Amino acid sequence: MSQKPVTMDVVIDAVAVVTIFNPPVNALAIPVIAGLMEKFDEASRRNDVKAVVLTGKGGKFSGGFDINVFRKVHETGDASVAAPDVSVALVLNAIEECKKPVVVAVEGLALGGGLELAIAFHARIAVPKALLGLPELSLGVIPGLGGTQRLPRLIGLPKAIEIMLTSKPITSEEGKKLGLIDAIVPSEELLKVSRRWVLDIAEKCKPWVLSLHITDKIGSLSEVKEVIKIARQQAKRTAPILPQHQACLDVIEEGIVHGGYTGILKEVKVFKELVLQDTAKGLVHTFLAQRATSKVSNVTDLGLKPRQIKKVAVIGGGQMGSEIATALIVSNIFVLVKEVNSEYLQKGIKMIQANVRALVKRGKLTKERQKKHSRCLKEFWITLNLKM
């Protein structure tokens, strides 16, 4: 029998450890979300459970909502088929408002819905170099599980907007400086520290933080409007035809002005609208197509690996040929270049040498490696001239 996507174990210290298992990145597929609802409901009712720790199996917490379900949404034209709806967002609200403290143990990554899930908890413990981010805008949508509301309250509006609009992740170290991560510990101590931390919350030795209710990092309404105004202007310059950037700012502003719960309801509504637009369809298709290039039928599925390339022939040492030769040589591949005469050959040599020097100047290649490649080039050209 295959392992369930979400399991729960109650250890001796009365802490329930809930584990997500959906390899390779513990994506929040529908069965995973259902499993989380079931286990947290059980933990909240059990008298032998004082607190809960959530973690992910396999060295990763969660890579976010399962993007494959977007395909079903686009095929049916119905966002309710598989996209997150109000009930899922409200489940996270229920977790945040649980009468028992909950802490998340983050290893590897917490991206998209994975981070939205994590910031609904009362504290976050992470390992070094874990990746945290909300990349939904790169797929044409916005965070749909409360990310637009909780992240600004946890780390402040300017940085939260930057993370969402650029779709770039940050490390757990930067997250700790911002207040997103409460502690960073070695991987082997992650669960131990997380269990102790959640018990400290239960025993009132550490603060019980409800991120949706934090207001001290938001600033005054006038400051909020100014920050959002600047972000809108920047988004118009960098993404003038993409609807998700302005929509994300609309939702953030709604929540700050009218309250986090109102913001979450609008977030879900806007998410459903955006996921059906052509922008999301195109960006999701591109993402899935790029990922599919790493899977070749009758090759990768059989475990076959490409043979090591040791020698490549390049026909022509002109502009394109010399650049191709440079890339190959820098990758430690022996290159044979064929030209129509020695004059063109010497021009090709000079262009390759200039390319290597430029790489060193830009910091893309060390001088030690330049010397190594120069020796290879010297031997290569002598060999080639003898053949001609």
Side-chain angles (χ1 to χ4, degrees):
M1 182 181 293
S2 61
Q3 182 174 340
K4 291 183 178 180
V6 181
T7 59
M8 185 175 75
D9 297 302
V10 180
V11 294
I12 195 168
D13 55 8
V15 174
V17 178
V18 177
T19 304
I20 301 172
F21 180 67
N22 185 26
V25 296
N26 293 327
L28 299 179
I30 301 303
V32 174
I33 294 172
L36 288 171
M37 294 167 60
E38 176 189 332
K39 297 306 179 186
F40 274 92
D41 180 61
E42 179 185 345
S44 66
R45 290 185 284 103
R46 285 177 58 163
N47 294 328
D48 60 337
V49 173
K50 292 174 60 177
V52 182
V53 168
L54 176 66
T55 188
K57 191 173 183 178
K60 297 179 179 68
F61 174 63
S62 175
F65 192 74
D66 186 1
I67 193 173
N68 286 300
V69 301
F70 283 24
R71 193 185 323 225
K72 295 180 182 178
V73 174
H74 295 156
E75 289 173 353
T76 61
D78 182 2
S80 65
V81 169
D85 60 15
V86 176
S87 63
V88 179
L90 294 183
V91 165
L92 298 194
N93 288 357
I95 290 175
E96 184 175 54
E97 295 173 358
C98 180
K99 294 182 179 179
K100 296 177 182 179
V102 290
V103 165
V104 64
V106 176
E107 188 170 13
L109 49 79
L111 300 175
L115 182 60
E116 292 183 275
L117 176 61
I119 59 180
F121 280 59
H122 304 139
R124 286 151 295 282
I125 315 301
V127 301
K129 308 300 180 185
L131 294 179
L132 318 167
L134 295 177
E136 285 88 345
L137 270 72
S138 66
L139 297 173
V141 295
I142 64 171
L145 299 177
T148 62
Q149 305 305 307
R150 291 188 175 92
L151 191 63
R153 288 167 169 79
L154 278 170
I155 68 174
L157 187 58
K159 189 63 182 180
I161 287 176
E162 178 188 331
I163 289 173
M164 283 185 269
L165 265 60
T166 64
S167 294
K168 293 180 180 178
I170 62 173
T171 63
S172 50
E173 286 78 6
E174 186 176 355
K176 188 171 186 307
K177 292 178 182 177
L178 293 169
L180 180 58
I181 298 297
D182 294 276
I184 297 177
V185 300
S187 179
E188 61 271 17
E189 297 181 18
L190 181 60
L191 279 180
K192 178 183 176 182
V193 173
S194 298
R195 290 200 304 264
R196 183 63 257 172
W197 198 285
V198 78
L199 284 174
D200 283 346
I201 295 176
E203 295 163 4
K204 297 182 171 54
C205 298
K206 281 188 168 63
W208 190 315
V209 179
L210 305 178
S211 57
L212 198 59
H213 298 271
I214 297 173
T215 57
D216 59 306
K217 292 188 178 182
I218 293 295
S220 67
L221 191 56
S222 60
E223 290 172 332
V224 167
K225 289 187 176 297
E226 182 62 23
V227 169
I228 291 179
K229 177 183 176 182
I230 294 172
R232 288 190 189 281
Q233 293 170 346
Q234 184 176 358
K236 285 179 181 178
R237 292 194 298 270
T238 58
I241 62 172
L242 299 178
Q244 65 269 33
H245 294 72
Q246 298 298 335
C248 184
L249 293 169
D250 289 342
V251 173
I252 292 172
E253 187 171 14
E254 175 82 9
I256 293 175
V257 174
H258 299 289
Y261 291 114
T262 301
I264 284 178
L265 292 175
K266 178 159 185 175
E267 177 190 85
V268 173
K269 178 178 179 293
V270 172
F271 178 94
K272 285 187 173 184
E273 293 170 352
L274 288 172
V275 76
L276 292 173
Q277 291 192 18
D278 289 341
T279 300
K281 292 178 182 178
L283 291 172
V284 168
H285 175 78
T286 300
F287 176 87
L288 293 173
Q290 288 175 336
R291 193 166 66 176
T293 59
S294 63
K295 300 177 182 179
V296 182
S297 179
N298 294 323
V299 177
T300 54
D301 54 346
L302 299 179
L304 300 180
K305 295 182 180 180
R307 289 177 293 181
Q308 183 180 1
I309 298 174
K310 297 180 179 179
K311 184 184 294 186
V312 173
V314 177
I315 309 300
Q319 183 70 38
M320 183 179 294
S322 63
E323 290 180 0
I324 293 172
T326 301
L328 292 167
I329 292 168
V330 170
S331 299
N332 296 315
I333 296 174
F334 188 84
V335 180
L336 293 174
V337 176
K338 180 71 174 179
E339 262 298 356
V340 293
N341 57 49
S342 59
E343 179 185 350
Y344 288 163
L345 180 61
Q346 291 304 314
K347 287 182 179 179
I349 293 174
K350 291 179 181 179
M351 281 193 284
I352 292 172
Q353 291 172 335
N355 289 341
V356 173
R357 287 194 297 270
L359 289 172
V360 174
K361 187 175 181 180
R362 295 200 304 270
K364 302 292 185 181
L365 191 68
T366 64
K367 289 187 176 181
E368 289 73 19
R369 287 192 67 191
Q370 179 190 17
K371 291 178 183 178
K372 175 184 176 182
H373 294 313
S374 294
R375 288 194 296 270
C376 292
L377 278 170
K378 196 171 185 180
E379 294 170 3
F380 152 63
W381 293 120
I382 291 172
T383 303
L384 183 60
N385 283 328
L386 286 174
K387 288 186 176 182
M388 293 189 65

